[in-house]
């Protein structure tokens, strides 16, 4: 069964008060997975109400993708991992434009690529993600932590 058909079936179980978590990525050579984000949005729109809570895990899309998801699903949260350190300008702009009340940070342990001298990623690297995001968004690291803590409670509480 194709991934799209599986997603379609799983979304049939979605309820607006419970988040749908999507980890979207294209081919290894793609930096933004634009076609994947577009197709996934079509599938989600066919199966979920606009008030559905969505968590775009390891978001690495463009500003256009972020805006499109926000318009279609206002309760979309965007989480960022250490991959943010390799974003190009449009992804950085998207990262800046995510409203405070919709931003999350994560490590994607143990999968996210990290500095080559460290063999295994783990949750304690969350501070690195917060520092990079704080720099991009011109916000204090403590504010990034506070915002994401509250957003996590709002999304999963």
């Amino acid at each position: 069964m194709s991934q799209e058909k599986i997603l379609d079936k799983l979304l049939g179980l979605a309820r607006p008060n419970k988040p749908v978590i999507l980890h979207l990525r294209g081919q290894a050579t793609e930096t933004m997975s634009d076609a994947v984000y577009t197709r996934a949005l079509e599938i989600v729109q066919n199966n979920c109400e606009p008030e559905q809570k969505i968590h775009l895990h390891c978001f690495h899309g463009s500003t256009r993708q972020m805006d499109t998801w926000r318009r279609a699903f206002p309760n979309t949260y965007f989480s960022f991992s250490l991959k943010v350190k390799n974003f190009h300008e449009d992804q950085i702009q998207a990262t800046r434009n995510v409203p405070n009340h919709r931003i999350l940070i994560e490590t994607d342990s143990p999968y996210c690529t990290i500095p080559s001298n460290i063999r295994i990623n783990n949750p304690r690297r969350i501070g690195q993600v917060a520092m990079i995001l704080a720099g991009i968004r011109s916000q204090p690291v403590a504010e990034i932590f506070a915002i994401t803590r509250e957003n996590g409670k709002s999304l999963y509480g």
Side-chain angles (χ1 to χ4, degrees):
M1 186 179 287
S2 79
Q3 289 182 0
E4 288 186 13
K5 287 181 181 175
I6 292 170
L7 178 59
D8 193 60
K9 283 184 179 271
L10 289 173
L11 288 172
L13 303 173
R15 300 294 172 257
N17 64 331
K18 300 290 182 192
V20 168
I21 305 160
L22 298 172
H23 188 166
L24 305 172
R25 60 181 172 183
Q27 300 297 318
T29 57
E30 293 178 288
T31 58
M32 288 195 299
S33 306
D34 198 55
V36 174
Y37 278 106
T38 299
R39 181 64 185 128
L41 180 59
E42 291 169 0
I43 295 168
V44 175
Q45 285 178 305
N46 287 334
N47 287 280
C48 297
E49 297 299 321
E51 65 272 6
Q52 178 67 52
K53 290 181 176 183
I54 307 280
H55 177 177
L56 290 180
H57 167 66
C58 286
F59 183 73
H60 61 280
S62 66
T63 302
R64 185 179 61 77
Q65 285 297 338
M66 187 263 305
D67 289 339
T68 302
W69 276 88
R70 287 192 61 229
R71 275 193 307 275
F73 293 97
N75 291 321
T76 299
Y77 291 76
F78 302 84
S79 65
F80 298 93
S81 70
L82 279 175
K83 289 189 183 271
V84 75
K85 70 182 177 179
N86 297 319
F87 278 7
H88 58 71
E89 189 53 42
D90 191 29
Q91 291 167 306
I92 289 170
Q93 194 59 46
T95 304
R96 285 185 186 125
N97 290 344
V98 173
N100 279 345
H101 70 287
R102 292 294 182 249
I103 196 163
L104 298 165
I105 56 175
E106 62 179 279
T107 61
D108 198 22
S109 296
Y111 304 106
C112 183
T113 54
I114 54 174
S116 59
N117 62 334
I118 302 168
R119 289 177 30 121
I120 299 173
N121 191 9
N122 63 59
R124 73 175 180 225
R125 306 236 176 265
I126 199 72
Q128 289 174 283
V129 179
M131 286 183 353
I132 294 167
L133 208 57
I136 289 171
R137 293 173 60 86
S138 299
Q139 291 175 282
V141 173
E143 185 177 349
I144 295 293
F145 277 123
I147 288 167
T148 59
R149 182 182 58 243
E150 290 306 310
N151 291 344
K153 286 184 201 176
S154 176
L155 180 60
Y156 290 105

